[in-house]
Amino acid sequence: MDEYSYDELFDDAANLPIPPAPLVKGLTQRIDQLQTSACCQKLTWSKVGCIAYIDRTGEGVILRSLLSNPDDGTWTLGKEHQVPNLSGAQLTHLSWNHSGSELAIVDVSGRVSIYNMFVVLNDLRPMRNSLLDQEDDQSAVVGLYWLNAEHQLTVHQPAEKDKSRWKYNAQPFKSVGPFHPSSGKLALIVVTKGGTVRLLYQLPDSQWQETEESNYLYLATFTASYQLSLYALMIQWKTAKLAAGPLNPGLSINRLCTKSCRKPPLNTSLGAEILDPEHKSFSYPSLTHLEILPFNPALKQAETLSTILGIFLESPLDGNYMTQHTPVSVIRRWNIKPIKNDMHPCLETLTGGKSSESQLKKRPIFTAVDDITLEKIVISISYVNHFSIIALLYSDGSVELRDRITLEVLPLDEDEKKVSGMTQTGFSFPFGQPCIHAALSPNACAIFSLNSDMEGALRLIQPAATTATPGSISDPIFVKNVVALSGQLAFSLSDRNNNDDLIAVIKQSPGDQLGQACLNETSSALSVNLDFTFEAQLELLVRHPMLRSYLSIQSSLGYRGEALSRSLSSKIAWATLNLRLTALVFAYTFNMQKANAASASSGAQNADLASPEVLRSLAGAVKWFTDLSNFIVDELFTLGHKLHPSAGPKPSPPLSPASISAALATSNSCALPLIMASAPRKLLRYNVKALRSLPKLVNATFNAHGGPSSTQRQALQVLTGILEGSAVPIAQIDGLLAEIDGLTKTAYEEAKFALDARSEAEKALVLTGLVPQPLVRVVETLFGRLLPALADDANREALYFGDFMWLGLVDRKRTVGKVVVDVLRKITLQKGAALRRCTRCCAVMEDCAPPPAVMWLTHMQKACVCGSLWMTVQQ
């Protein structure tokens, strides 16, 4: 032993590779599918938040989505819902359109069915039957692309700290064509195994048509002989007679360039050379993914039109998943660059004029980029932030986000004053189980994966760990987590993405600190102005582009299920959302009445306030608002006894923002913030004025129709009975709100609050109920003078025994006699009624068609009061 050292004895053994774990069950077959066709996506997650995947039999499609659990408010995956297979054949590919409202389902013979998501997430309706297509082996689909819709998009840029505030940067740009000439209509391009290019498109009446073989659409192909070709597709819609007759588009195809490519190399890593020196276990890497990444204006590389991305995988030769070494993925890229065409103008006439595709001023060429070899198996590709980031999903359950240009893994931000995104801040996914299918959520913060048995698993991204006190604003990691989440929330709202996945990530954190901090930062990122103190027009409030979405997030973050009470912040948001709904109901009905009165001379017989159905539809909104008004007054009386006692051995101390906040935290009452904050107060005032004018307007309508019928009179009596039965007269509530409105304006003016300061104060009132210092004296006046005067006209006994639990703002819950309330119509539903449940706030509505006369319900039933989509459920 003395002649040899310890290291010399074991030196060779140290270099021996560890045999790899066997491949995931079913992965070999999945690789074969990917190498056979580019159109074999069995799992996809839509922009509106719906997950679709092909079931175990291969003959059906299953829908699932994230939803809030009504028991405790936690987020989980919903139940499976089946989509009928119109063709009955084996299904091979699923693809959502860009907005996430239509799903294309492709079978093994290349037949395409198209389904539409109209109102309910788990109920797709067929729009195009696949049986219209011929059943042919050469018609198998190898490429499918939905045409974009023409609208504004936003590229998220890194947030930068400017002194004490974060500046959220974004770059707007327009979506890339070609587009369908009719707004809101859809079209898609299909490439078949036999080389046929099909254009499927909607007619103006929403029927689907097809044609075979302005803007260019690029098509890339890769042959078995390793030839890469680029084609230009041009769609000639012939829109001159669009309104007069059917569409008859033409589709022209022109090959632009072709390049012969070398084979990707075999795996020559140390482990592969030792375990499989003769390379008998795997074939040469074959193509599994071929994508064209469109030009992104945020990249600021005008010379690059787009990039072709190809991924090649090794495949086990014996078909066995017990292999000698782990197969590799080879990523290959070709940049498409334009070359200026210097053809003399006089020669252009020889090629058919300017309409010919050969007249491209800049003809593209391929520029190859160095290969990247990964010792992992890429099973899926996703794109983040409009193709500026590439997400690679691997068979071991992991995911990597890489830069689109360099394809390097996104590094962590080292600059304390810069936040590029969630991944760069330190967010990461927990370790997952191996899978053969995987998809990212709309905001790339959740993964849904399937194993070989098509069993699903969900993972949410986790924030970077910190050793500081949770929620500490002095902790730089916490601050960066907040900025990253807030920037992504703002990006999702401005880009019309579903953000349930982000809410689920935030609600993983214990306590309310992360949620409150994200709400505050998101309002800054979106420049949401909640100050309507001096705003006279209600329309600016109800039609605010971001207000409902913002309040929806605020309401959801404080929702703890039906068994527990909401947080104070959630109550304020929930009440404001419902006030907005009732204001829209009254405004829509009254505007329809004015339109009908203006068109009465033409003999039009449209539904108006003379219709008993319309009157009955308003009863729920009238009852809800009167109960809310009574609830607010009752809560103010209770709070006033705590903050401003009328008798006692010592005078009560003067009020302050801190003492008011402490009382609100103890009582968890949203009544005071609802009348002190300008946004909900303005909605309250509009609803009051609508109710005060309703009987007079209805009677005027009856008189215009020659007097009311018995049915009309009964419907009106129901409304007047609700108003007259209010414990606090509506006129007195109107006077109270008017007084507070005037006092608030005066207080801000005398305090000389700048516009920015007032905006911050109003935002704090809506978010946390914090009363700013200038409004403290308004609160003192409320409890010292206004409420005692109102008490003389109020029925205190009716207030005390009033049942306000159905409003969803009372902490105590029913122990018996639980009622189910339709959140839109504000009525109690019968037991056994078919229901739709909101995926976010868990509110329900009856799943039925509204009466034709009730136009406001027809328009508003498409989404919940919080703006989220519905799912059908059993009561």
Side-chain angles (χ1 to χ4, degrees), residues 585-586 589 608-623 694 698 702 709-719 722 824-827 851 853-854 856-857:
V585 170
F586 296 136
T589 304
D608 56 16
L609 284 174
S611 168
E613 286 184 337
V614 175
L615 291 176
R616 283 193 290 266
S617 74
L618 298 178
V622 173
K623 173 64 175 172
L694 180 60
V698 173
F702 287 163
S709 65
S710 59
T711 307
Q712 292 171 329
R713 188 180 295 107
Q714 290 174 0
L716 178 59
Q717 287 174 351
V718 172
L719 296 180
I722 295 172
L824 296 186
R825 293 185 292 166
K826 308 297 184 189
I827 62 173
V854 187
W856 69 263
L857 183 57

Side-chain angles (χ1 to χ4, degrees), residues 792-804:
D792 297 334
D793 298 314
N795 185 340
R796 298 294 298 274
E797 183 180 359
L799 286 177
Y800 182 80
F801 290 104
D803 182 7
F804 303 128

Side-chain angles (χ1 to χ4, degrees), residues 252-268:
S252 58
I253 306 174
N254 183 33
R255 186 167 64 180
L256 301 177
C257 50
T258 299
K259 180 182 180 65
S260 296
C261 305
R262 56 181 174 80
K263 289 184 178 181
L266 286 167
N267 186 0
T268 57

Side-chain angles (χ1 to χ4, degrees), residues 697-777:
L697 184 59
V698 173
N699 282 318
T701 305
F702 287 163
N703 294 333
H705 287 75
S709 65
S710 59
T711 307
Q712 292 171 329
R713 188 180 295 107
Q714 290 174 0
L716 178 59
Q717 287 174 351
V718 172
L719 296 180
T720 55
I722 295 172
L723 295 175
E724 293 171 357
S726 175
V728 183
I730 292 296
Q732 301 304 319
I733 295 174
D734 192 11
L736 174 67
L737 294 172
E739 284 259 22
I740 294 176
D741 209 39
L743 291 172
T744 301
K745 293 177 181 178
T746 302
Y748 276 135
E749 288 174 343
E750 291 181 353
K752 297 181 180 180
F753 250 39
L755 183 62
D756 291 344
R758 194 176 73 231
S759 178
E760 287 296 317
E762 289 291 325
K763 181 175 71 173
L765 257 172
V766 173
L767 289 184
T768 64
L770 176 64
V771 177
Q773 184 62 48
L775 299 189
V776 171
R777 65 175 184 174

Side-chain angles (χ1 to χ4, degrees), residues 108-381:
V108 69
S109 299
R111 296 179 294 187
V112 181
S113 301
I114 298 177
Y115 291 79
N116 169 261
M117 182 188 299
F118 177 63
V119 174
V120 183
L121 270 175
N122 56 352
D123 184 17
L124 298 185
R125 300 179 181 180
M127 300 293 291
R128 183 184 189 274
N129 197 325
S130 61
L131 298 178
L132 298 173
D133 300 332
Q134 294 183 354
E135 188 174 358
D136 181 5
D137 290 341
Q138 291 299 308
S139 297
V141 176
V142 296
L144 187 149
Y145 174 78
W146 285 93
L147 267 60
N148 271 327
E150 190 172 8
H151 56 264
Q152 193 85 357
L153 299 171
T154 304
V155 176
H156 175 65
Q157 303 281 10
E160 299 173 343
K161 192 171 185 179
D162 183 12
K163 297 180 180 179
S164 61
R165 293 193 175 189
W166 286 88
K167 181 180 179 182
Y168 296 87
N169 304 307
Q171 180 176 347
F173 72 101
K174 291 184 177 180
S175 54
V176 180
F179 312 110
H180 195 293
S182 298
S183 178
K185 302 304 177 184
L186 304 171
L188 57 91
I189 297 287
V190 174
V191 181
T192 69
K193 181 179 179 181
T196 302
V197 179
R198 302 162 57 194
L199 171 66
L200 308 181
Y201 59 94
Q202 269 186 314
L203 297 174
D205 61 359
S206 296
Q207 296 296 315
W208 282 85
Q209 293 288 341
E210 174 186 346
T211 187
E212 296 183 1
E213 303 201 56
S214 163
N215 282 317
Y216 290 97
L217 191 66
Y218 287 110
L219 168 66
T221 64
F222 196 89
T223 66
S225 58
Y226 288 83
Q227 278 202 333
L228 176 67
S229 298
L230 182 68
Y231 297 84
L233 308 183
M234 186 174 184
I235 306 172
Q236 298 172 330
W237 290 104
K238 303 176 184 177
T239 59
K241 298 181 180 180
L242 180 60
L247 282 172
N248 187 23
L251 182 62
S252 58
I253 306 174
N254 183 33
R255 186 167 64 180
L256 301 177
C257 50
T258 299
K259 180 182 180 65
S260 296
C261 305
R262 56 181 174 80
K263 289 184 178 181
L266 286 167
N267 186 0
T268 57
S269 63
L270 177 62
E273 289 297 321
I274 294 177
L275 295 175
D276 187 19
E278 298 182 3
H279 301 285
K280 293 182 178 180
S281 298
F282 287 87
S283 65
Y284 272 94
S286 299
L287 183 71
T288 57
H289 298 81
L290 186 66
E291 310 253 349
I292 298 182
L293 312 185
F295 169 70
N296 188 321
L299 301 179
K300 298 180 181 179
Q301 291 193 351
E303 73 279 2
T304 301
L305 292 178
S306 50
T307 302
I308 299 176
L309 175 71
I311 294 183
F312 298 79
L313 286 181
E314 292 180 329
S315 179
L317 290 174
D318 56 2
N320 191 346
Y321 65 92
M322 297 293 294
T323 60
Q324 294 295 323
H325 67 269
T326 301
V328 298
S329 301
V330 178
I331 303 179
R332 187 168 284 184
R333 291 166 293 158
W334 300 269
N335 288 332
I336 306 173
K337 293 190 175 183
I339 296 297
K340 187 174 181 181
N341 187 356
D342 294 327
M343 181 186 295
H344 194 277
C346 67
L347 299 178
E348 292 182 357
T349 57
L350 300 177
T351 58
K354 294 184 178 180
S355 62
S356 173
E357 295 180 51
S358 62
Q359 301 312 306
L360 287 170
K361 294 298 181 182
K362 296 183 177 181
R363 297 186 64 83
I365 62 169
F366 296 130
T367 302
V369 185
D370 291 342
D371 292 350
I372 295 178
T373 302
L374 306 172
E375 292 192 3
K376 286 188 176 185
I377 303 174
V378 178
I379 58 173
S380 182
I381 309 174

